[in-house]
Amino acid sequence: MNDTICAIATSSGTGAISIIKVSGVEAIKIVDSIFSGDLKKAKTKSINYGFIIHKKEKIDEVLVSVMHAPKTFTTEDIVEINCHGGIAITNKILELLIIKGCRLAEPGEFTKRAFLNGRIDLVQAEAVQDLINSKTESERIMFINQIDGKVSKKISDLRNKILSLMANIEVNIDFPEYEDAIEVTNEILKPELKKVKDEILDILKDSKNGKIIKEGIDVSILGKPNVGKSSILNALLKEEKAIVTDIAGTTRDII
C-alpha cells in the first residue's frame, strides 16, 4: 500500500485515446519526471497539456489529469495520462512509468485500494466490476445504485436500529434504577422488531431479483417435432437463431 501503482485503464488495442492511471504517494512526482510541464504546482482536478519525454525525445502529446489525496477514488494522489490510442504508444509510456518507480497494478488493485482505504465498502467494490460487465439497462441501474451506496445505507440503517433496540434492552436489565430510561415492553418491542423483519425481507427480495437480473433464468422449450419450438425461440430473440423448416429434427443440437 506504500508503493505507487500504474495500469492501462482503457481497453487494449488501437483507439483514439488511451488512459494510463497512476496512484500512490509518488504518483505526481513520477509522472512529472517524464512530463514536459510542472505537475508539482498543478492544482487538484486540473488537466495539463504537454508531452511525455524520454531522454529529450518526445514520446507522445498528452493531457495529464492531476487529483490530490484524499478526495480521489483510492484516497491517494492519482494522475491519469490521456495519450493517443495504440499499443506501441501506451506500452512505451507504461514502461517509462515502471522504470521511474511505479509498480504494475494487479487486476482490480485500484478498487482494492479504495476499499482498504475506506473510500468504498465491500458491496460497492463488488459492484464496480459488475457495472463494467453489465449488458442491460436493468443491470446498469442496479449496480450504479450499489456503487452509490444505497444498498450499504439500507444495511447500515438496519444495523443501527437493531443496536438501538439492544442498547435500550440492556439498560433496562442492567440499570433498572434509571428513571429516565425508556421501559422496553413487549408493546414497544414487537412493532419495532416487525419493522426490522420486514426490512430484512425486502432486502432479501431485492437480492433475489438482482440475482435474476444478473444471472438470468434457465428456460427450456420442450415439445414434439415441428410444433414451433424454433419459431418461438426466434420470436423471443427477435433474430433467426434457429433454422425453421418442415423437416423434423432439423435443430437437434442445443442452441
Side-chain angles (χ1 to χ4, degrees):
M1 291 291 290
N2 295 324
D3 56 354
T4 299
I5 58 175
C6 64
I8 301 170
T10 46
S11 299
S12 60
T14 303
I17 297 294
S18 286
I19 299 175
I20 301 169
K21 195 168 187 175
V22 185
S23 178
V25 291
E26 294 191 331
I28 296 174
K29 177 183 175 182
I30 290 174
V31 178
D32 184 66
S33 69
I34 61 172
F35 183 62
S36 61
D38 188 357
L39 296 180
K40 294 177 182 177
K41 296 180 181 178
K43 295 181 180 180
T44 186
K45 297 180 182 178
S46 64
I47 299 176
N48 306 269
Y49 167 79
F51 291 87
I52 297 296
I53 297 175
H54 178 56
K55 295 180 179 179
K56 297 183 181 181
E57 176 192 354
K58 289 182 178 179
I59 303 301
D60 192 25
E61 185 180 26
V62 297
L63 291 175
V64 178
S65 303
V66 176
M67 290 157 276
H68 294 166
K71 294 184 177 181
T72 67
F73 180 65
T74 61
T75 75
E76 304 169 337
D77 285 342
I78 287 181
V79 180
E80 291 185 353
I81 303 171
N82 294 259
C83 62
H84 289 97
I87 296 173
I89 296 171
T90 309
N91 286 345
K92 182 62 179 179
I93 296 174
L94 190 67
E95 177 188 337
L96 292 176
L97 290 171
I98 294 172
I99 291 172
K100 292 294 182 178
C102 282
R103 174 175 62 79
L104 189 62
E106 298 173 359
E109 190 169 359
F110 286 91
T111 303
K112 178 183 177 181
R113 289 197 173 196
F115 169 67
L116 293 176
N117 290 332
R119 168 67 174 75
I120 57 177
D121 59 29
L122 187 59
V123 174
Q124 292 170 302
E126 291 177 342
V128 172
Q129 187 63 37
D130 288 330
L131 180 64
I132 294 170
N133 293 330
S134 60
K135 296 180 178 65
T136 65
E137 182 67 7
S138 299
E139 285 183 289
R140 184 194 64 78
I141 293 171
M142 180 175 67
F143 296 131
I144 197 64
N145 285 337
Q146 288 185 21
I147 291 176
D148 198 36
K150 291 184 179 180
V151 176
S152 300
K153 188 178 185 304
K154 280 184 179 181
I155 296 172
S156 179
D157 290 345
L158 187 58
R159 183 175 184 272
N160 290 334
K161 287 181 182 179
I162 295 172
L163 288 175
S164 179
L165 288 173
M166 289 173 61
N168 286 324
I169 292 171
E170 289 176 7
V171 168
N172 280 200
I173 295 172
D174 296 336
F175 307 101
E177 67 275 13
Y178 283 6
E179 294 180 0
D180 57 342
I182 299 173
E183 184 179 356
V184 182
T185 62
N186 286 338
E187 287 72 22
I188 294 175
L189 192 59
K190 285 182 177 180
E192 293 299 320
L193 288 175
K194 186 179 184 305
K195 290 180 183 177
V196 170
K197 180 182 177 182
D198 290 341
E199 288 186 40
I200 292 174
L201 291 175
D202 286 340
I203 292 173
L204 291 173
K205 182 180 178 182
D206 289 342
S207 70
K208 290 178 180 177
N209 292 337
K211 186 176 181 181
I212 291 173
I213 292 173
K214 181 179 177 181
E215 299 178 5
I217 301 174
D218 292 329
V219 177
S220 297
I221 302 176
L222 305 175
K224 294 180 179 180
N226 283 6
V227 294
K229 299 186 295 299
S230 297
S231 298
I232 291 174
L233 177 66
N234 292 340
L236 290 171
L237 297 178
K238 296 182 180 179
E239 64 174 288
E240 296 300 317
K241 187 70 175 179
I243 300 171
V244 178
T245 70
D246 294 331
I247 303 171
T250 301
T251 51
R252 288 173 180 245
D253 296 331
I254 296 175
I255 299 175

